[in-house]
């Protein structure tokens, strides 16, 4: 195991975020906080409680999910796409590192950044909304698994994409809509019966539901099912990355 | 320790486009030498280097670096190699110092700030260590690429067209550094399509064209070919055959009977130039002009490349 290499990739990727603190930290924290202000404090007071939880508190886990899904995906995809685009990737590809070490470095850094953002948002939310976390360890587990999973998705996109536009398409056109429709702002039990069934095909439902369970102990689907689903995505993306490196797909000719 | 630090055996490469970039290449690089790979654009120089460095997959054949197969034992093989790419491929938003720390780390070496400082100083980059690469000139960016390639103390350094579009000062600094590295025992392989460059610093020269190695020779031996000269004599009156006085010398009579050419080696006491001229004088042949022509490396190169078409 080339630990020095993992450390080098990991730190330089984290460092990349500190280079643009406004864009990579302030902006996601601010835009998520706007939701707390609008839905938590302003409109939230006029909304009924959902499952015994105030609306402002109800949306916190979903909003954090929404943010980490898009941030992890776009961050990890840029992290690997940029050096591919500039050609600087030659250095990592000619270094004595395995595909596994490369992935741990890049995905680990993107996931770390998302976890830090999630923590910052949790702290910011305290300013506007009164909430508590029932199962903090489960909360952390869901958070970490989700950040890693979607950073892997981002890594895959970054490797496969052959243009900046394609890089943006999946986060904007797939991840964001799924996150919005995945129960961020509502409990799926509030939907008509038909749409409740359809919604179950949305993978984000399981992530939001499990995460919200760790906060308030209430969930749309069972917490075990959520855990199984998130683990399944994790393994799916892992296998896909393994396949990319095994076949050299879009990496080497 | 084996004699050859790099051993390329029957290496062939066909790009997915179907283009045959390397054809059965065999090449051995000696430990500690400076080797110049000379060839026109598109000859396959970058492809060959990229395969040795692990950037392009091997199709057929084998490459061994310091006794390690570049595919099966890629870790040990790649640890020994530093690569300065042809293009200015670098993260322009990074800072010089950070990118150096990154390079050393990614090649599996523990941090060594004193060593990195030494390299940056040798390349006149020390003052720029806190600069964002974006704001450096093209020449400075190339220096950074060289510094990065040396960050992990490689045994072998590849310089892919190091002087293309480079100013005189950097060129001079680069050759000074190459000399210093050679004294430390680093093997250096550079590609170029400038013949003078190969002449200037290489111990051995390999010529490649259309994915084939046409020739690999010591520079001295090439210089001997380089030192090969022709004495061309223009005659006042055409002759049909060589007079008896000139028997024993290898002289060629031109088609019109008005030129005689004699091949000889420059600066050699045994080249018989005096004797040939004396014999001509004795034979009574009258000359209208005397000319000598040098066959340059350029000519050798051009004729080799022409032949391989
Ligand atoms: N990725 C690639 N796909 C297809 N052809 C390529 C690729 N890379 C290089 N080539 C072709 O292979 C030949 C050799 O290229 P290269 O090794 O870069 O030559 P050199 O470095 O000697 O100029 C060129 O004709 C080039 O067009
Ligand atoms: Mg080239």
């Amino acid at each position: 195991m080339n630990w020095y290499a993992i450390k080098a990739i990991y730190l330089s990727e984290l460092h990349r975020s500190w280079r643009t603190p406004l864009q990579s930290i302030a902006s996601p924290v601010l835009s998520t906080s706007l939701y707390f202000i609008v839905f938590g404090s302003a409109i939230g007071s006029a909304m009924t409680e959902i499952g015994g939880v105030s609306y402002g508190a109800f949306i916190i886990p979903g909003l954090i999910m929404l943010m980490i899904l898009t941030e992890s995906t776009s961050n990890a995809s840029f992290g690997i796409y940029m050096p591919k685009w500039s050609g600087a990737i030659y250095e990592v590809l000619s270094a004595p590192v395995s595909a596994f070490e490369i992935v741990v470095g890049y995905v680990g850094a993107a996931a770390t950044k998302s976890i830090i953002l999630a923590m910052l948002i949790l702290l910011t939310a305290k300013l506007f909304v009164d909430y508590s976390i029932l199962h903090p360890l489960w909360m952390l587990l869901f958070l970490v698994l989700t950040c890693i999973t979607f950073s892997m998705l981002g890594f895959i996109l970054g490797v496969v994409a052959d243009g900046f536009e394609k890089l943006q398409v999946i986060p904007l056109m797939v991840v964001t809509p799924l996150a919005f429709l995945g129960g961020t702002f509502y409990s799926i039990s509030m939907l008509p019966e038909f749409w409740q069934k359809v919604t179950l095909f949305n993978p984000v439902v399981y992530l939001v539901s499990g995460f919200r369970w760790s906060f308030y102990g209430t969930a749309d689907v069972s917490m075990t099912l959520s855990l199984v689903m998130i683990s399944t995505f994790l393994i799916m993306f892992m296998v896909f990355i393994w396949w990319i490196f095994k076949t050299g797909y879009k990496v080497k000719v | 320790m084996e004699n050859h630090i790099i051993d390329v055996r029957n290496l062939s490469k066909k790009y997915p486009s179907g283009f045959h970039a390397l054809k059965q290449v065999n090449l051995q690089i000696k430990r500690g030498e400076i080797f110049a790979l000379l060839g026109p654009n598109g000859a396959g120089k970058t492809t060959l280097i990229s395969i040795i460095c692990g950037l392009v997959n091997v199709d057929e054949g084998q490459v061994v670096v310091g006794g390690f197969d570049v595919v099966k034992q890629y870790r040990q093989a790649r640890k020994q190699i530093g690569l300065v790419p042809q293009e200015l491929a670098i993260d322009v938003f990074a800072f010089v110092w950070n990118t150096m720390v990154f390079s050393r780390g990614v090649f599996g070496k523990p941090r060594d700030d004193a060593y990195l400082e030494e390299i940056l100083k040798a390349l006149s980059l020390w003052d720029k260590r806190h600069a964002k690469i974006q704001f450096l000139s093209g020449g400075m960016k190339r220096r950074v690429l060289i510094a990065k390639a040396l960050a992990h103390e490689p045994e072998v350094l590849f310089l892919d067209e190091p002087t293309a579009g480079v100013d005189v000062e950097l060129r001079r600094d680069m050759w000074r550094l190459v000399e210093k590295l050679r004294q430390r025992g680093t093997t250096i392989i550079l590609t170029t399509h400038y013949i003078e460059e190969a002449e200037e610093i290489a111990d051995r020269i390999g010529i490649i064209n259309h994915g084939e190695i046409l020739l690999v020779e010591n520079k001295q031996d090439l210089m001997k070919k380089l030192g090969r000269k022709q004495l061309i004599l223009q005659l006042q009156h055409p002759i049909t055959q060589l007079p008896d006085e000139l028997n024993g010398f290898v002289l060629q009579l031109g088609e019109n009977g008005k030129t005689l050419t004699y091949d000889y080696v420059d600066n050699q006491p045994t080249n018989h130039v005096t004797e040939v001229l004396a014999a001509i004088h004795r034979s009574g042949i009258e000359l209208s002009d005397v000319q000598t022509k040098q066959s340059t490396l350029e000519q050798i190169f051009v004729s080799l490349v022409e032949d391989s078409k």
Side-chain angles (χ1 to χ4, degrees), chain A residues 210-230:
Chain A
F211 199 47
R212 187 174 285 135
W213 169 85
S214 71
F215 277 67
Y216 310 121
T218 58
D220 286 332
V221 295
S222 91
M223 166 270 192
T224 322
L225 183 57
S226 290
L227 204 57
V228 169
M229 289 303 265
I230 178 83

mmCIF file of all heavy atoms in Angstrom, chain A residues 210-230:
data_model
loop_
_atom_site.group_PDB
_atom_site.id
_atom_site.type_symbol
_atom_site.label_atom_id
_atom_site.label_comp_id
_atom_site.label_asym_id
_atom_site.label_seq_id
_atom_site.Cartn_x
_atom_site.Cartn_y
_atom_site.Cartn_z
ATOM 1 N N GLY A 210 -33.791 7.075 5.876
ATOM 2 C CA GLY A 210 -32.885 6.516 6.885
ATOM 3 C C GLY A 210 -32.218 7.617 7.692
ATOM 4 O O GLY A 210 -32.102 7.534 8.926
ATOM 5 N N PHE A 211 -31.805 8.643 7.000
ATOM 6 C CA PHE A 211 -31.127 9.755 7.657
ATOM 7 C C PHE A 211 -32.090 10.449 8.630
ATOM 8 O O PHE A 211 -31.727 10.776 9.759
ATOM 9 C CB PHE A 211 -30.632 10.730 6.583
ATOM 10 C CG PHE A 211 -29.553 11.675 7.052
ATOM 11 C CD1 PHE A 211 -28.447 11.214 7.767
ATOM 12 C CD2 PHE A 211 -29.621 13.026 6.758
ATOM 13 C CE1 PHE A 211 -27.444 12.081 8.186
ATOM 14 C CE2 PHE A 211 -28.618 13.904 7.171
ATOM 15 C CZ PHE A 211 -27.536 13.429 7.884
ATOM 16 N N ARG A 212 -33.336 10.627 8.178
ATOM 17 C CA ARG A 212 -34.318 11.303 9.037
ATOM 18 C C ARG A 212 -34.645 10.432 10.253
ATOM 19 O O ARG A 212 -34.829 10.945 11.363
ATOM 20 C CB ARG A 212 -35.587 11.610 8.247
ATOM 21 C CG ARG A 212 -36.580 12.461 9.028
ATOM 22 C CD ARG A 212 -37.755 12.875 8.171
ATOM 23 N NE ARG A 212 -37.418 13.921 7.221
ATOM 24 C CZ ARG A 212 -37.792 13.905 5.941
ATOM 25 N NH1 ARG A 212 -38.489 12.893 5.468
ATOM 26 N NH2 ARG A 212 -37.470 14.898 5.158
ATOM 27 N N TRP A 213 -34.651 9.121 10.020
ATOM 28 C CA TRP A 213 -34.890 8.218 11.153
ATOM 29 C C TRP A 213 -33.834 8.428 12.238
ATOM 30 O O TRP A 213 -34.142 8.456 13.439
ATOM 31 C CB TRP A 213 -34.875 6.757 10.673
ATOM 32 C CG TRP A 213 -34.861 5.790 11.816
ATOM 33 C CD1 TRP A 213 -35.939 5.306 12.508
ATOM 34 C CD2 TRP A 213 -33.701 5.225 12.437
ATOM 35 N NE1 TRP A 213 -35.546 4.482 13.512
ATOM 36 C CE2 TRP A 213 -34.158 4.411 13.490
ATOM 37 C CE3 TRP A 213 -32.327 5.323 12.194
ATOM 38 C CZ2 TRP A 213 -33.292 3.694 14.312
ATOM 39 C CZ3 TRP A 213 -31.465 4.617 13.014
ATOM 40 C CH2 TRP A 213 -31.946 3.820 14.061
ATOM 41 N N SER A 214 -32.564 8.612 11.819
ATOM 42 C CA SER A 214 -31.499 8.778 12.807
ATOM 43 C C SER A 214 -31.680 10.064 13.623
ATOM 44 O O SER A 214 -31.215 10.165 14.739
ATOM 45 C CB SER A 214 -30.120 8.766 12.141
ATOM 46 O OG SER A 214 -29.929 9.956 11.401
ATOM 47 N N PHE A 215 -32.400 11.023 13.056
ATOM 48 C CA PHE A 215 -32.675 12.273 13.786
ATOM 49 C C PHE A 215 -33.872 12.102 14.738
ATOM 50 O O PHE A 215 -33.797 12.409 15.910
ATOM 51 C CB PHE A 215 -33.004 13.416 12.811
ATOM 52 C CG PHE A 215 -31.800 14.099 12.233
ATOM 53 C CD1 PHE A 215 -30.952 13.422 11.366
ATOM 54 C CD2 PHE A 215 -31.513 15.423 12.549
ATOM 55 C CE1 PHE A 215 -29.854 14.044 10.816
ATOM 56 C CE2 PHE A 215 -30.403 16.062 12.006
ATOM 57 C CZ PHE A 215 -29.573 15.366 11.126
ATOM 58 N N TYR A 216 -35.018 11.641 14.144
ATOM 59 C CA TYR A 216 -36.268 11.724 14.895
ATOM 60 C C TYR A 216 -36.914 10.376 15.207
ATOM 61 O O TYR A 216 -37.963 10.329 15.821
ATOM 62 C CB TYR A 216 -37.264 12.617 14.137
ATOM 63 C CG TYR A 216 -36.651 13.946 13.736
ATOM 64 C CD1 TYR A 216 -36.573 14.338 12.414
ATOM 65 C CD2 TYR A 216 -36.123 14.796 14.719
ATOM 66 C CE1 TYR A 216 -35.988 15.547 12.051
ATOM 67 C CE2 TYR A 216 -35.528 16.004 14.362
ATOM 68 C CZ TYR A 216 -35.461 16.376 13.026
ATOM 69 O OH TYR A 216 -34.884 17.549 12.694
ATOM 70 N N GLY A 217 -36.336 9.307 14.706
ATOM 71 C CA GLY A 217 -36.894 7.988 14.993
ATOM 72 C C GLY A 217 -38.114 7.640 14.171
ATOM 73 O O GLY A 217 -38.709 6.589 14.370
ATOM 74 N N THR A 218 -38.486 8.524 13.227
ATOM 75 C CA THR A 218 -39.609 8.208 12.346
ATOM 76 C C THR A 218 -39.088 8.108 10.914
ATOM 77 O O THR A 218 -38.126 8.786 10.555
ATOM 78 C CB THR A 218 -40.696 9.299 12.370
ATOM 79 O OG1 THR A 218 -40.089 10.532 11.971
ATOM 80 C CG2 THR A 218 -41.318 9.444 13.746
ATOM 81 N N ALA A 219 -39.734 7.226 10.113
ATOM 82 C CA ALA A 219 -39.212 7.021 8.765
ATOM 83 C C ALA A 219 -40.316 6.597 7.817
ATOM 84 O O ALA A 219 -41.335 6.050 8.239
ATOM 85 C CB ALA A 219 -38.119 5.966 8.792
ATOM 86 N N ASP A 220 -40.103 6.852 6.516
ATOM 87 C CA ASP A 220 -41.049 6.431 5.483
ATOM 88 C C ASP A 220 -40.887 4.942 5.181
ATOM 89 O O ASP A 220 -41.839 4.241 4.922
ATOM 90 C CB ASP A 220 -40.811 7.228 4.204
ATOM 91 C CG ASP A 220 -41.322 8.663 4.340
ATOM 92 O OD1 ASP A 220 -42.264 8.870 5.116
ATOM 93 O OD2 ASP A 220 -40.767 9.557 3.669
ATOM 94 N N VAL A 221 -39.637 4.496 5.167
ATOM 95 C CA VAL A 221 -39.378 3.067 4.963
ATOM 96 C C VAL A 221 -38.530 2.601 6.145
ATOM 97 O O VAL A 221 -37.946 3.431 6.847
ATOM 98 C CB VAL A 221 -38.628 2.801 3.633
ATOM 99 C CG1 VAL A 221 -39.494 3.182 2.446
ATOM 100 C CG2 VAL A 221 -37.313 3.556 3.587
ATOM 101 N N SER A 222 -38.441 1.300 6.325
ATOM 102 C CA SER A 222 -37.729 0.839 7.516
ATOM 103 C C SER A 222 -36.258 1.225 7.431
ATOM 104 O O SER A 222 -35.661 1.292 6.361
ATOM 105 C CB SER A 222 -37.872 -0.671 7.672
ATOM 106 O OG SER A 222 -36.813 -1.322 7.013
ATOM 107 N N MET A 223 -35.701 1.475 8.582
ATOM 108 C CA MET A 223 -34.311 1.903 8.646
ATOM 109 C C MET A 223 -33.375 0.816 8.101
ATOM 110 O O MET A 223 -32.373 1.105 7.459
ATOM 111 C CB MET A 223 -34.021 2.237 10.112
ATOM 112 C CG MET A 223 -32.590 2.391 10.458
ATOM 113 S SD MET A 223 -31.952 0.786 10.966
ATOM 114 C CE MET A 223 -30.407 1.281 11.644
ATOM 115 N N THR A 224 -33.723 -0.450 8.322
ATOM 116 C CA THR A 224 -32.901 -1.544 7.803
ATOM 117 C C THR A 224 -32.879 -1.508 6.283
ATOM 118 O O THR A 224 -31.820 -1.655 5.655
ATOM 119 C CB THR A 224 -33.472 -2.913 8.247
ATOM 120 O OG1 THR A 224 -33.944 -2.778 9.574
ATOM 121 C CG2 THR A 224 -32.436 -3.997 8.159
ATOM 122 N N LEU A 225 -34.067 -1.285 5.692
ATOM 123 C CA LEU A 225 -34.138 -1.231 4.233
ATOM 124 C C LEU A 225 -33.261 -0.078 3.717
ATOM 125 O O LEU A 225 -32.545 -0.228 2.718
ATOM 126 C CB LEU A 225 -35.592 -1.044 3.787
ATOM 127 C CG LEU A 225 -35.820 -1.033 2.275
ATOM 128 C CD1 LEU A 225 -35.303 -2.314 1.638
ATOM 129 C CD2 LEU A 225 -37.304 -0.854 1.958
ATOM 130 N N SER A 226 -33.309 1.043 4.413
ATOM 131 C CA SER A 226 -32.475 2.182 4.024
ATOM 132 C C SER A 226 -30.999 1.791 4.019
ATOM 133 O O SER A 226 -30.261 2.077 3.077
ATOM 134 C CB SER A 226 -32.665 3.345 4.999
ATOM 135 O OG SER A 226 -33.925 3.908 4.847
ATOM 136 N N LEU A 227 -30.602 1.116 5.078
ATOM 137 C CA LEU A 227 -29.200 0.719 5.200
ATOM 138 C C LEU A 227 -28.804 -0.252 4.092
ATOM 139 O O LEU A 227 -27.723 -0.143 3.498
ATOM 140 C CB LEU A 227 -28.997 0.076 6.578
ATOM 141 C CG LEU A 227 -27.583 0.119 7.128
ATOM 142 C CD1 LEU A 227 -27.074 1.545 7.219
ATOM 143 C CD2 LEU A 227 -27.546 -0.540 8.514
ATOM 144 N N VAL A 228 -29.716 -1.193 3.811
ATOM 145 C CA VAL A 228 -29.452 -2.166 2.749
ATOM 146 C C VAL A 228 -29.306 -1.435 1.413
ATOM 147 O O VAL A 228 -28.385 -1.712 0.633
ATOM 148 C CB VAL A 228 -30.584 -3.217 2.672
ATOM 149 C CG1 VAL A 228 -30.457 -4.050 1.408
ATOM 150 C CG2 VAL A 228 -30.556 -4.116 3.899
ATOM 151 N N MET A 229 -30.193 -0.471 1.159
ATOM 152 C CA MET A 229 -30.163 0.226 -0.123
ATOM 153 C C MET A 229 -28.869 1.025 -0.291
ATOM 154 O O MET A 229 -28.207 0.938 -1.319
ATOM 155 C CB MET A 229 -31.366 1.177 -0.247
ATOM 156 C CG MET A 229 -32.685 0.462 -0.432
ATOM 157 S SD MET A 229 -32.703 -0.631 -1.851
ATOM 158 C CE MET A 229 -33.412 0.466 -3.066
ATOM 159 N N ILE A 230 -28.528 1.768 0.731
ATOM 160 C CA ILE A 230 -27.327 2.607 0.613
ATOM 161 C C ILE A 230 -26.089 1.723 0.410
ATOM 162 O O ILE A 230 -25.215 2.018 -0.401
ATOM 163 C CB ILE A 230 -27.163 3.572 1.811
ATOM 164 C CG1 ILE A 230 -25.889 4.409 1.708
ATOM 165 C CG2 ILE A 230 -27.138 2.895 3.136
ATOM 166 C CD1 ILE A 230 -26.041 5.605 0.866
#
